[in-house]
Amino acid sequence: MLDLLVKNTLVVTSDDVFLGSVAVNNGKIAGILPTNTNEQADTIIDGKGCYLFPGIIDSHVHFNDPGFEWREDFSHATEAAAVGGVTTVVDMPLQNEPALTDRQIFEKKYKTVKEKALIDFAFWGGMVNFNLSKISELNDCGVVAFKTFLAPVSSDYTSLDYGRVREGLSIIKTFDGLAGFHCEDYGIVSYNEETAKKKGHVTRKDYLKARPVVAELVAVKTIIELSRESGTRVHICHVSHPQVAEAIKLAKYQGVRITAETCPHYLIFNEKDFLDNGMFFKCAPPLRSEEASLRLWDYVKDGTLDLVVSDHSPCADREKSESEGVFNAWGGISGVQAGLQIMFNEIVSKRNWSPTLISRIMAENPSKIFGMSGKKGALTLGFDADLVLVDPNAEWEITDKSLKYLNKSSAFIGCKGTGLPVCTILRGKVIVQDGVIKGKHGIGQLVRRNIC
Ligand SMILES: [Zn+2]
């Protein structure tokens, strides 16, 4: 007798789609069976007409807990993620009080959030200008990567100069870890912002001007050279422009150990959305031209961009006020709940591409890159039974009421499409059914980096 059987569904692996059933025992995938299997189970879910994906791994989120719970907290954020088909997140070290920069803070954060978590979670460690001596102990704790800002950053965090980046990479190399970067050149962006503010140029257009593509390109190319020198694995966060993707593609071809991500907002929105609609579309790097957003898809399809992640970065509505100028408004877009439905609509419903692309860029690749191989990210025997059923015919519109975030404002409100997650399963347990939370907070477990 099985614990759970998802029957008669379109199973989507990273390279195939077929009619079948997935058997689950003790929280693990126990078999991929024919669609008409007679196996019995405690719980049987009929997946007729639906696609069954591995649970989504969103490896770039800012859940703001502990420290900034008026923006978001682990309870609301993991509910939203679960409704959106996400079964594992990797939470960023900043927008935490204090930022996650050593072992003590790691343990404190873990204790604070574990009772709230409805899905599994891992942590990015911080790499800032005062904690290079703590990098190895953070690795021992099980952080899955280290986050560094090259651009100015407006919080409790510090940016790193290239000298310290080089030192950090040499430390991370000793345990073959992963260094992730927010790539915008500090000198270009801070000079542009200071000059604009002095002149009183603080409109939406001035924000776009202050963060040009070349700032992203200069930073990415420098990281490529530093990785080439050290041999350390590097990951480029939120690529916003095809020129940047092209530089990464060339570096991959040359054997540099580099991976990269983009976000749904760079793929479906553009600078006009920001200029017309304002601060809920403010992010860094900023939204680019319509042509750029369309061309970015080529690099998702060809594998240059390994991942699509939300970079979920919520705030209170008052922090989006533009009254003190564009530079003072909070940057960041809330998207952890919307990622799968947006990508399914774009990839399968609109473009008629294979849904296998979703399994690759939103489950298998993040698992491999962030040290969860052998455990998560694929519909493979013995892996955690993290699953999500998507009804390809369900039509949706994102409204503030449909969002589970603490603060229900988001750039994605008003988006419409077809194809919606209808059942999310975490390690064999149904945690969301038809948008209704079935799981208990505290069920989520910490995922530590798999070092083997
Ligand atoms: Zn981020």
Side-chain angles (χ1 to χ4, degrees):
M1 183 85 147
L2 297 163
D3 293 340
L4 173 74
L5 186 64
V6 184
K7 273 182 87 163
N8 192 25
T9 188
L10 282 161
V11 178
V12 188
T13 69
S14 59
D15 57 9
D16 201 5
V17 183
F18 57 90
L19 255 183
S21 303
V22 172
V24 177
N25 253 341
N26 300 318
K28 307 274 185 196
I29 295 174
I32 309 290
L33 306 175
T35 189
N36 57 356
T37 176
N38 290 322
E39 286 282 346
Q40 293 303 304
D42 286 339
T43 306
I44 294 182
I45 295 173
D46 184 3
K48 189 162 189 251
C50 288
Y51 289 101
L52 183 72
F53 292 93
I56 301 305
I57 300 173
D58 189 337
S59 55
H60 186 159
V61 299
H62 300 262
F63 282 179
N64 282 266
D65 192 353
F68 299 91
E69 292 90 344
W70 72 86
R71 292 189 184 127
E72 190 68 284
D73 61 70
F74 244 73
S75 294
H76 284 87
T78 55
E79 279 196 15
V83 170
V86 177
T87 50
T88 307
V89 286
V90 190
D91 192 42
M92 281 290 175
L94 63 155
Q95 286 124 40
N96 277 185
E97 183 53 50
L100 204 173
T101 50
D102 66 29
R103 178 190 294 274
Q104 259 186 326
I105 302 171
F106 180 102
E107 296 301 342
K108 186 176 161 234
K109 177 171 176 176
Y110 173 48
K111 273 198 198 119
T112 308
V113 304
K114 70 175 182 180
E115 297 305 322
K116 304 180 188 176
L118 184 62
I119 58 170
D120 286 354
F121 56 95
F123 295 148
W124 284 80
M127 187 161 86
V128 293
N129 64 11
F130 57 81
N131 84 329
L132 292 183
S133 62
K134 308 285 186 184
I135 296 297
S136 292
E137 73 175 42
L138 280 172
N139 178 59
D140 295 340
C141 292
V143 301
V144 296
F146 293 87
K147 177 68 182 291
T148 288
F149 272 75
L150 303 175
V153 51
S154 57
S155 69
D156 52 328
Y157 219 60
T158 53
S159 311
L160 274 199
D161 56 63
Y162 293 128
R164 287 184 176 85
V165 169
R166 192 163 172 261
E167 172 72 11
L169 288 178
S170 73
I171 298 166
I172 292 172
K173 178 73 192 303
T174 61
F175 49 82
D176 201 23
L178 177 67
F181 293 91
H182 178 125
C183 282
E184 287 179 290
D185 184 75
Y186 188 92
I188 295 174
V189 173
S190 57
Y191 172 77
N192 287 352
E193 282 196 8
E194 278 164 30
T195 311
K197 281 183 200 167
K198 263 188 216 152
K199 291 181 180 168
H201 294 171
V202 292
T203 65
R204 297 171 188 178
K205 270 197 177 133
D206 297 315
Y207 180 73
L208 296 179
K209 250 194 241 168
R211 307 188 89 116
V213 177
V214 72
E216 197 176 340
L217 208 47
V218 165
V220 166
K221 287 189 173 181
T222 305
I223 293 304
I224 288 169
E225 290 315 315
L226 293 174
S227 170
R228 198 196 309 274
E229 180 200 40
S230 64
T232 309
R233 295 164 56 222
V234 294
H235 180 75
I236 308 299
C237 294
H238 40 54
V239 171
S240 73
H241 196 279
Q243 256 183 289
V244 177
E246 189 61 33
I248 293 165
K249 185 173 181 170
L250 178 64
K252 283 187 168 187
Y253 178 71
Q254 293 169 337
V256 176
R257 300 176 77 200
I258 187 169
T259 53
E261 67 187 35
T262 189
C263 312
H265 43 271
Y266 295 114
L267 292 163
I268 69 164
F269 299 137
N270 60 65
E271 60 195 9
K272 198 168 174 305
D273 294 295
F274 170 66
L275 294 170
D276 292 349
N277 303 316
M279 295 305 107
F280 284 101
F281 292 79
K282 180 183 172 184
C283 55
L287 299 175
R288 306 297 189 186
S289 68
E290 184 178 11
E291 192 215 343
S293 75
L294 291 173
R295 279 177 46 217
L296 205 53
W297 279 102
D298 297 341
Y299 297 92
V300 172
K301 200 175 185 198
D302 77 5
T304 301
L305 299 171
D306 305 84
L307 315 177
V308 171
V309 298
S310 68
D311 193 5
H312 179 72
S313 188
C315 66
D317 285 4
R318 65 176 185 278
E319 295 176 283
K320 285 289 190 185
S321 168
E322 217 175 341
S323 60
E324 313 239 333
V326 72
F327 294 106
N328 288 328
W330 184 260
I333 290 178
S334 296
V336 71
Q337 187 178 327
L340 175 57
Q341 70 199 74
I342 293 279
M343 293 307 287
F344 188 92
N345 182 55
E346 293 291 329
I347 289 173
V348 183
S349 308
K350 279 166 74 171
R351 289 174 174 77
N352 206 20
W353 293 351
S354 169
T356 55
L357 181 60
I358 293 173
S359 289
R360 282 200 299 282
I361 62 178
M362 300 182 84
E364 185 180 78
N365 290 349
S367 165
K368 285 182 176 164
I369 292 167
F370 291 91
M372 302 174 195
S373 286
K375 186 175 169 69
K376 292 195 176 288
L379 301 177
T380 301
L381 207 64
F383 277 44
D384 284 357
D386 298 341
L387 313 167
V388 54
L389 272 172
V390 172
D391 177 351
N393 299 312
E395 292 183 3
W396 50 263
E397 176 176 354
I398 296 176
T399 63
D400 55 351
K401 284 197 179 63
S402 70
L403 296 174
K404 300 282 185 191
Y405 311 138
L406 177 67
N407 290 292
K408 298 181 194 311
S409 302
S410 169
F412 293 103
I413 288 177
C415 289
K416 294 177 184 172
T418 309
L420 192 66
V422 290
C423 182
T424 308
I425 295 165
L426 177 72
R427 285 179 274 104
K429 296 265 185 307
V430 174
I431 54 169
V432 179
Q433 180 93 53
D434 296 318
V436 178
I437 307 292
K438 301 283 184 187
K440 284 202 173 74
H441 291 275
I443 190 179
Q445 293 181 355
L446 175 69
V447 183
R448 294 178 203 265
R449 180 178 170 229
N450 179 357
I451 296 177
C452 61

